[in-house]
Protein backbone atom coordinates (compact mmCIF):
# COMPACT_ATOMS: atom_id res chain seq x y z
CA UNK A 1 0.00 0.00 0.00
CA UNK A 2 1.57 3.27 -1.14
CA UNK A 3 1.36 6.78 0.26
CA UNK A 4 -1.48 7.62 -2.14
CA UNK A 5 -3.54 4.73 -0.78
CA UNK A 6 -2.91 5.80 2.81
CA UNK A 7 -3.76 9.41 2.00
CA UNK A 8 -7.23 8.72 0.66
CA UNK A 9 -7.92 5.85 3.00
CA UNK A 10 -10.55 3.68 1.38
CA UNK A 11 -9.36 3.25 -2.21
CA UNK A 12 -9.96 -0.36 -3.23
CA UNK A 13 -7.22 -0.75 -5.84
CA UNK A 14 -4.90 1.24 -8.06
CA UNK A 15 -7.60 1.64 -10.74
CA UNK A 16 -9.86 3.74 -8.51
CA UNK A 17 -9.97 7.39 -9.54
CA UNK A 18 -10.07 10.52 -7.45
CA UNK A 19 -13.76 10.85 -8.43
CA UNK A 20 -14.49 7.76 -6.31
CA UNK A 21 -13.32 9.27 -3.05
CA UNK A 22 -15.40 11.42 -0.73
CA UNK A 23 -15.19 15.19 -0.43
CA UNK A 24 -13.62 14.68 3.00
CA UNK A 25 -10.89 12.45 1.57
CA UNK A 26 -10.19 14.96 -1.21
CA UNK A 27 -9.90 17.70 1.42
CA UNK A 28 -7.34 15.60 3.31
CA UNK A 29 -5.15 15.42 0.21
CA UNK A 30 -4.66 19.18 0.24
CA UNK A 31 -4.70 19.72 4.00
CA UNK A 32 -1.58 20.12 6.11
CA UNK A 33 -1.45 20.59 9.87
CA UNK A 34 1.20 22.35 11.91
CA UNK A 35 1.74 21.80 15.63
CA UNK A 36 4.57 21.41 18.11
CA UNK A 37 5.29 20.04 21.55
CA UNK A 38 5.56 23.50 23.08
CA UNK A 39 4.79 27.14 22.44
CA UNK A 40 7.30 29.40 20.73
CA UNK A 41 8.82 26.73 18.50
CA UNK A 42 7.90 28.47 15.22
CA UNK A 43 5.17 26.16 13.87
CA UNK A 44 2.76 29.08 13.28
CA UNK A 45 5.50 31.13 11.62
CA UNK A 46 6.42 28.30 9.26
CA UNK A 47 2.74 27.78 8.44
CA UNK A 48 2.39 31.48 7.58
CA UNK A 49 5.49 31.47 5.34
CA UNK A 50 4.22 28.43 3.46
CA UNK A 51 0.74 29.98 3.12
CA UNK A 52 2.22 33.21 1.75
CA UNK A 53 4.48 31.31 -0.66
CA UNK A 54 1.57 29.23 -2.00
CA UNK A 55 -0.61 32.35 -2.34
CA UNK A 56 1.90 34.76 -3.87
CA UNK A 57 4.36 32.64 -5.83
CA UNK A 58 2.23 29.62 -6.76
CA UNK A 59 -0.98 31.73 -7.15
CA UNK A 60 -3.03 29.18 -5.17
CA UNK A 61 -6.16 29.82 -3.11
CA UNK A 62 -5.11 29.13 0.50
CA UNK A 63 -7.19 28.90 3.67
CA UNK A 64 -5.40 29.12 7.02
CA UNK A 65 -7.52 27.46 9.68
CA UNK A 66 -6.27 28.56 13.10
CA UNK A 67 -7.67 26.09 15.64
CA UNK A 68 -5.39 27.31 18.41
CA UNK A 69 -8.29 29.14 20.06
CA UNK A 70 -6.50 30.03 23.29
CA UNK A 71 -3.64 31.67 21.40
CA UNK A 72 -4.81 32.62 17.86
CA UNK A 73 -1.57 34.38 16.89
CA UNK A 74 -1.78 34.17 13.12
CA UNK A 75 -4.19 37.08 12.88
CA UNK A 76 -1.47 39.41 14.21
CA UNK A 77 0.89 38.44 11.39
CA UNK A 78 -1.66 38.75 8.59
CA UNK A 79 -3.43 41.85 7.30
CA UNK A 80 -6.88 40.88 8.58
CA UNK A 81 -9.51 42.26 10.90
CA UNK A 82 -10.92 39.52 13.12
CA UNK A 83 -13.91 40.56 15.19
CA UNK A 84 -16.35 38.70 17.39
CA UNK A 85 -18.76 38.92 14.43
CA UNK A 86 -16.56 36.97 11.98
CA UNK A 87 -15.03 34.55 14.50
CA UNK A 88 -15.16 30.85 13.57
CA UNK A 89 -16.74 30.24 16.97
CA UNK A 90 -19.98 31.63 15.51
CA UNK A 91 -20.01 28.76 13.04
CA UNK A 92 -19.15 26.17 15.70
CA UNK A 93 -21.99 27.51 17.90
CA UNK A 94 -24.34 27.35 14.88
CA UNK A 95 -25.14 31.07 14.65
CA UNK A 96 -23.35 31.81 11.32
CA UNK A 97 -22.42 30.06 8.10
CA UNK A 98 -18.79 29.09 7.63
CA UNK A 99 -18.45 31.37 4.58
CA UNK A 100 -19.44 34.39 6.69
CA UNK A 101 -16.38 33.69 8.86
CA UNK A 102 -13.88 33.71 5.93
CA UNK A 103 -11.48 36.62 6.33
CA UNK A 104 -9.42 37.63 3.31
CA UNK A 105 -5.94 39.07 3.78
CA UNK A 106 -6.05 42.71 2.69
CA UNK A 107 -2.71 42.53 0.82
CA UNK A 108 -2.63 38.93 -0.41
CA UNK A 109 -5.95 38.46 -2.21
CA UNK A 110 -5.99 34.65 -2.36
CA UNK A 111 -4.97 34.10 1.26
CA UNK A 112 -7.81 33.59 3.76
CA UNK A 113 -8.10 32.97 7.49
CA UNK A 114 -10.59 31.23 9.74
CA UNK A 115 -9.88 31.86 13.42
CA UNK A 116 -11.25 32.93 16.77
CA UNK A 117 -11.35 36.60 17.66
CA UNK A 118 -9.24 38.07 20.45
CA UNK A 119 -12.53 39.67 21.53
CA UNK A 120 -14.19 36.27 22.15
CA UNK A 121 -14.76 35.61 25.82
CA UNK A 122 -12.23 33.34 27.53
CA UNK A 123 -15.05 31.21 28.96
CA UNK A 124 -16.45 30.64 25.47
CA UNK A 125 -13.01 29.81 24.09
CA UNK A 126 -12.37 27.29 26.84
CA UNK A 127 -15.77 25.63 26.36
CA UNK A 128 -15.25 25.00 22.63
CA UNK A 129 -13.64 21.67 21.92
CA UNK A 130 -13.84 20.96 18.19
CA UNK A 131 -13.93 17.21 17.64
CA UNK A 132 -13.10 15.22 14.52
CA UNK A 133 -16.68 15.60 13.32
CA UNK A 134 -16.56 19.42 13.59
CA UNK A 135 -13.21 19.61 11.80
CA UNK A 136 -14.47 17.19 9.15
CA UNK A 137 -17.54 19.37 8.51
CA UNK A 138 -15.31 22.42 8.16
CA UNK A 139 -12.94 20.63 5.75
CA UNK A 140 -15.89 19.50 3.62
CA UNK A 141 -16.85 23.14 3.11
CA UNK A 142 -13.37 24.29 2.10
CA UNK A 143 -13.17 22.41 -1.20
CA UNK A 144 -12.88 25.66 -3.20
CA UNK A 145 -9.39 26.24 -1.77
CA UNK A 146 -6.31 24.69 -3.30
CA UNK A 147 -4.71 24.23 0.13
CA UNK A 148 -5.91 24.27 3.73
CA UNK A 149 -3.25 24.80 6.40
CA UNK A 150 -4.29 24.02 9.98
CA UNK A 151 -2.63 25.64 12.96
CA UNK A 152 -3.20 23.31 15.90
CA UNK A 153 -2.56 24.01 19.58
CA UNK A 154 0.69 22.64 20.93
CA UNK A 155 0.51 19.38 22.79
Amino acid sequence: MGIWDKSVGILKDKTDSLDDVSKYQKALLKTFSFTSIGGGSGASTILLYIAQYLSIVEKKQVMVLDLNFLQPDLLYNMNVDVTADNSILNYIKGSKTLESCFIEDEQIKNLHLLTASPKDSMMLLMSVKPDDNTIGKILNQLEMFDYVLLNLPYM
Side-chain angles (χ1 to χ4, degrees), residues 3-120:
I3 188 116
W4 172 258
D5 302 309
K6 291 177 184 175
S7 298
V8 295
I10 308 176
L11 288 179
K12 297 175 192 78
D13 60 45
K14 300 283 186 220
T15 61
D16 287 347
S17 72
L18 194 55
D19 295 334
D20 296 330
V21 299
S22 71
K23 286 170 53 176
Y24 178 71
Q25 289 168 319
K26 287 180 187 178
L28 289 179
L29 290 174
K30 62 181 184 177
T31 303
F32 300 91
S33 58
F34 296 77
T35 190
S36 66
I37 59 170
S41 66
S44 298
T45 303
I46 291 171
L47 178 151
L48 186 58
Y49 288 153
I50 291 172
Q52 290 172 340
Y53 172 81
L54 290 169
S55 298
I56 297 167
V57 178
E58 298 295 325
K59 307 283 190 238
K60 300 294 183 183
Q61 291 290 325
V62 178
M63 172 58 75
V64 173
L65 178 54
D66 192 353
L67 296 176
N68 189 358
F69 294 142
L70 294 178
Q71 192 177 9
D73 293 338
L74 287 171
L75 63 101
Y76 299 115
N77 297 307
M78 295 175 68
N79 293 307
V80 294
D81 183 27
V82 182
T83 65
D85 192 48
N86 61 10
S87 167
I88 192 174
L89 297 183
N90 293 315
Y91 168 76
I92 293 172
K93 291 184 307 186
S95 62
K96 295 253 183 174
T97 65
L98 188 63
E99 292 81 13
S100 68
C101 302
F102 291 179
I103 307 162
E104 188 173 29
D105 189 291
E106 294 171 8
Q107 292 181 341
I108 305 172
K109 292 301 177 198
N110 47 350
L111 179 58
H112 300 79
L113 177 67
L114 273 169
T115 189
S117 166
K119 296 179 171 78
D120 288 324

